[in-house]
Amino acid sequence: KGRDGKMRLALPMTGKQAAYGVLSMTIENGKWEEADLPAFMLLADTAGSAFENAKLYEQSNMLIDELRLINEMTKRLNQSLKLKEIFQFATSELLKIFDADYCCVLQLNEELKQFEVKSSNIPSLASETFSNEYGFCGMVYRTKEPLIISDYWHSRVVTSKLMDQTGSRSLIAAPIFVEGEVIGVILVTHKHA
């Protein structure tokens, strides 16, 4: 109870896996009855379950998309061993899944120590090569970790030809591994942060 004659109530909105928020209410003292508490608790629990179900639904949809991509790529591998076709298919699927503006798949040429663009929806980068120390590919190659940049123009941690040429603001960069070594990088970008 507050000094202003109002009752403040805060209940966690909890699901089976975690708490997803707090249900906060302010009620006039005269309108509050202790018998109402179970109803508020039920409301908070129901909201928590709804948040959790929505999150799980979103995750399951992403998982379905990922499984569909893997399934389709496996089919393509079985049908054709033309690497270029496989890279092009991966690019178009990644653009769809991430609702992205641009995508670039690069493969490492170990002898030359360069990343070669194997597929992209950016014609000017179609046959580009980059040092394995350059830009976001260089960062992923060094760290062996995926990378998310929410606003390239604000942070600009490295210079990126891909980001500069397309005017992209946000980026996801993910390594492609073979036996624990980075042999390629996938770059997916959006024009908006």
Side-chain angles (χ1 to χ4, degrees):
K1 290 181 181 180
R3 291 178 185 175
D4 55 1
K6 291 181 181 177
M7 174 87 176
R8 285 175 179 79
L9 188 71
L11 293 167
M13 293 187 287
T14 311
K16 288 179 184 175
Q17 296 182 6
Y20 296 92
V22 175
L23 176 66
S24 179
M25 303 187 80
T26 303
I27 306 158
E28 298 286 341
N29 276 344
K31 293 180 181 176
W32 168 254
E33 291 180 20
E34 205 68 38
D36 293 333
L37 185 59
F40 282 108
M41 290 174 74
L42 179 63
L43 181 63
D45 282 346
T46 304
S49 296
F51 278 120
E52 186 163 84
N53 288 338
K55 193 174 181 185
L56 290 171
Y57 179 73
E58 188 180 322
Q59 286 172 350
S60 68
N61 276 349
M62 283 183 71
L63 184 61
I64 287 165
D65 279 339
E66 286 168 8
L67 290 171
R68 187 174 60 80
L69 173 61
I70 292 163
N71 189 39
E72 284 294 322
M73 288 186 75
T74 306
K75 272 190 204 168
R76 294 290 175 109
L77 277 165
N78 290 336
Q79 288 168 3
S80 164
L81 289 177
K82 290 180 182 172
L83 215 51
K84 192 174 181 183
E85 283 180 21
I86 294 161
F87 281 129
Q88 285 171 346
F89 174 72
T91 299
S92 65
E93 286 297 298
L94 287 162
L95 285 165
K96 275 187 242 171
I97 288 171
F98 289 99
D99 192 24
D101 293 307
Y102 302 103
C103 179
C104 208
V105 180
L106 302 99
Q107 186 178 26
L108 179 67
N109 183 323
E110 288 188 58
E111 286 180 21
L112 299 176
K113 294 187 176 179
Q114 287 182 335
F115 280 102
E116 301 168 351
V117 175
K118 290 297 176 181
S119 179
S120 176
N121 66 329
I122 310 150
S124 60
L125 294 180
S127 54
E128 279 275 10
T129 58
F130 301 97
S131 157
N132 64 357
E133 296 176 0
Y134 175 81
F136 293 113
C137 284
M139 288 180 76
V140 171
Y141 181 67
R142 280 194 307 277
T143 63
K144 295 187 177 184
E145 295 283 343
L147 185 66
I148 295 174
I149 301 293
S150 57
D151 194 344
Y152 170 74
W153 298 102
H154 180 71
S155 56
R156 206 176 175 88
V157 287
V158 292
T159 298
S160 166
K161 194 169 184 178
L162 166 64
M163 301 298 276
D164 289 338
Q165 282 194 6
T166 61
S168 293
R169 283 185 72 183
S170 58
L171 165 133
I172 299 168
I176 302 169
F177 289 109
V178 168
E179 294 177 353
E181 294 301 317
V182 177
I183 59 100
V185 176
I186 293 168
L187 302 173
V188 179
T189 79
H190 292 80
K191 287 180 183 176
H192 305 290

